[in-house]
Amino acid sequence: MLLSASGRGPILSFDFPLSRSAALGRLAAFLPHAGSDYARHRNEERGQGQHHAVSRLSAALRRRLISEAEVAEAVVRMHGAGAAAKFVAELLWRTYWKGWLEQRPSIWHDWRADCARLTKQGLPEGYAAAIEGRTGIDAFDAWLRELRETGYLHNWARMQFASIWIFTLRLPWQLGAAFTFHHFVDADPASNTLSWRWVAGLHTQGKAYLADAERIKAQTGGRFDPKGLAITADVPRETPSPDLCRIRMPTPPDPQAPALLLLTPEDLSLETEMDLQALDVRRVVACRAHCSGAADLAAVADGLQRASGHWRAPALWVDDMKAALAVAQQDGVAQIVTGYAPVGPVAESLAAQREGTEVRIAEHRRAWDERAWPYCRKGYFALAQHIPALLDAAELAPLRA
């Protein structure tokens, strides 16, 4: 059992896997249920420890201990394209959020600025009761306790939780997103921030998500009967979304040059990428500063062990990127190679160190992202219509017959 650095409770390594072997085991256990069972039961919320209708792979996918392509391949192989369609469509939401934020990075920066402003001016009335589970709304308070104890909520419950926070409790969505980003074991800059904006009615104009008491009662098997929920959605005001920008082009690794391999919580199975397997890696490092808590530390430690074994290179923890650059210079390597860092804290850390150093910081972006992100400019269904082609391009076509 692993306790979080914040003391928020146990993180179960199998239910919410933080190693590649645990992720593969979790996938194998879920596979028989990933077809029609998932399509029928995925929105049923049966309570803490009873989330058997969903994969519970999000903690591993967030850190790419296991990749979206690997999961899609396994599900399609077992169930075929038709029965696997709902699961694959839900899997692609993670890809969509990342691709969308890559093309509107100011949304992330604006959210962080809003959180700082709201905190500085004084937390609003009702905030303390919300984060302590004292609202009197039975479902919300129970989900709050589950989140604090496990670092996890069923995805359907997350939508209800966010909706109640915004429209019933009338609390700023930005502070809700900050609270869950701090507590979720699968916290992801894009998925977390943009999901809250979607519920609030800011992602798709004119479309907010309003929690419904009767539906909560039905989907939770009668465990909850919440009272006093908002019946109208008062969408927060926000400045218009920024124009699209180009997806950032990373500096690619030089396959001929010796490298220091940097592992971050953005991609912890780089040894599975064919383009990198023959890389001349002299050392594998990870920065403590890139880890936001015990879950990241555990996952990165697993990644370090596997990468060290694959490339037969010593592994080393360092404090931050400055220390990583110093190690690269000491080892006489001219490039640091890492997995692509989408918009978020790791990307900011890498960007801050690119200037003024002779060591080249190169990022490997997976083909899955390269193909999918250009379709993430608008709503999700602009991406969804390309799912068959994306699976074909990922060489899943023979498995889909």
Side-chain angles (χ1 to χ4, degrees):
M1 181 177 292
L2 175 70
L3 295 180
S4 73
S6 64
R8 67 171 178 246
I11 299 167
L12 305 179
S13 62
F14 184 74
D15 269 4
F16 317 117
L18 295 172
S19 70
R20 180 165 171 81
S21 62
L24 292 171
R26 176 91 286 282
L27 175 60
F30 175 69
L31 272 178
H33 311 287
S36 58
D37 286 352
Y38 177 83
R40 286 196 304 270
H41 301 298
R42 67 186 178 87
N43 284 337
E44 295 174 4
E45 200 284 314
R46 294 302 183 231
Q48 184 171 329
Q50 301 298 317
H51 303 306
H52 305 308
V54 294
S55 74
R56 289 164 284 160
L57 279 168
S58 56
L61 285 165
R62 183 269 173 273
R63 299 170 176 87
R64 275 191 164 151
L65 290 161
I66 191 170
S67 72
E68 294 90 334
E70 289 177 297
V71 174
E73 177 178 352
V75 173
V76 172
R77 183 192 297 273
M78 176 168 284
H79 295 282
K86 176 52 69 176
F87 181 84
V88 173
E90 293 299 316
L91 181 69
L92 264 291
W93 271 99
R94 177 176 301 277
T95 300
Y96 169 71
W97 288 135
K98 284 188 177 293
W100 196 92
L101 193 60
E102 284 298 294
Q103 296 171 87
R104 295 175 179 86
S106 63
I107 293 289
W108 163 260
H109 302 295
D110 290 347
W111 168 66
R112 297 215 304 179
D114 286 345
C115 288
R117 172 181 55 80
L118 288 164
T119 302
K120 184 177 181 180
Q121 70 187 27
L123 295 171
E125 183 179 355
Y127 176 81
I131 66 168
E132 293 168 9
R134 297 186 288 103
T135 69
I137 300 171
D138 56 3
F140 183 94
D141 291 348
W143 288 327
L144 187 285
R145 289 192 296 273
E146 181 179 356
L147 173 56
R148 282 189 173 275
E149 290 171 7
T150 70
Y152 181 84
L153 285 180
H154 185 289
N155 186 65
W156 184 84
R158 297 182 192 208
M159 294 191 297
Q160 317 313 308
F161 182 92
S163 180
I164 294 169
W165 178 288
I166 296 165
F167 299 123
T168 298
L169 302 179
R170 294 184 171 274
L171 293 169
W173 74 265
Q174 296 95 328
L175 295 182
F179 180 79
T180 53
F181 188 68
H182 176 70
H183 283 85
F184 278 144
V185 70
D186 56 12
D188 175 82
S191 294
N192 187 72
T193 308
L194 299 181
S195 293
W196 273 87
R197 292 183 78 256
W198 182 84
V199 169
L202 299 172
H203 186 76
T204 303
Q205 189 171 10
K207 185 176 182 180
Y209 186 89
L210 194 61
D212 177 80
E214 287 301 315
R215 183 158 171 76
I216 290 175
K217 186 175 181 180
Q219 292 300 103
T220 61
R223 288 178 15 254
F224 302 125
D225 188 12
K227 306 298 184 184
L229 299 191
I231 58 174
T232 58
D234 185 10
V235 176
R237 294 184 178 182
E238 186 181 66
T239 56
S241 294
D243 293 336
L244 284 168
C245 65
R246 290 185 177 183
I247 297 172
R248 179 173 69 85
M249 293 301 297
T251 299
D254 179 351
Q256 305 302 319
L260 181 148
L261 186 75
L262 171 69
L263 291 187
T264 80
E266 298 299 343
D267 197 325
L268 292 172
S269 58
L270 291 173
E271 76 280 0
T272 66
E273 287 288 275
M274 291 294 294
D275 292 347
L276 298 180
Q277 287 183 351
L279 199 64
D280 181 9
V281 173
R282 302 297 174 86
R283 192 185 297 267
V284 185
V285 301
C287 298
R288 296 182 184 89
H290 290 158
C291 298
S292 63
D296 278 351
L297 288 167
V300 172
D302 176 72
L304 275 177
Q305 184 178 32
R306 283 182 286 103
S308 177
H310 174 82
W311 279 286
R312 300 180 182 275
L316 178 69
W317 280 98
V318 297
D319 287 337
D320 52 27
M321 276 303 298
K322 287 185 178 179
L325 286 164
V327 171
Q329 291 170 337
Q330 290 169 10
D331 288 353
V333 299
Q335 67 171 342
I336 291 177
V337 175
T338 190
Y340 182 84
V343 172
V346 174
E348 292 170 349
S349 170
L350 297 180
Q353 298 301 323
R354 281 197 176 91
E355 300 298 327
T357 178
E358 296 180 359
V359 178
R360 186 169 175 260
I361 299 178
E363 295 171 86
H364 171 75
R365 188 156 63 204
R366 291 178 181 248
W368 180 273
D369 299 331
E370 291 277 3
R371 298 185 186 111
W373 285 357
Y375 300 123
C376 300
R377 297 185 177 94
K378 298 180 180 179
Y380 172 77
F381 294 103
L383 170 65
Q385 65 184 344
H386 293 283
I387 288 177
L390 291 170
L391 295 179
D392 286 345
E395 299 182 352
L396 303 186
L399 305 175
R400 296 167 58 227

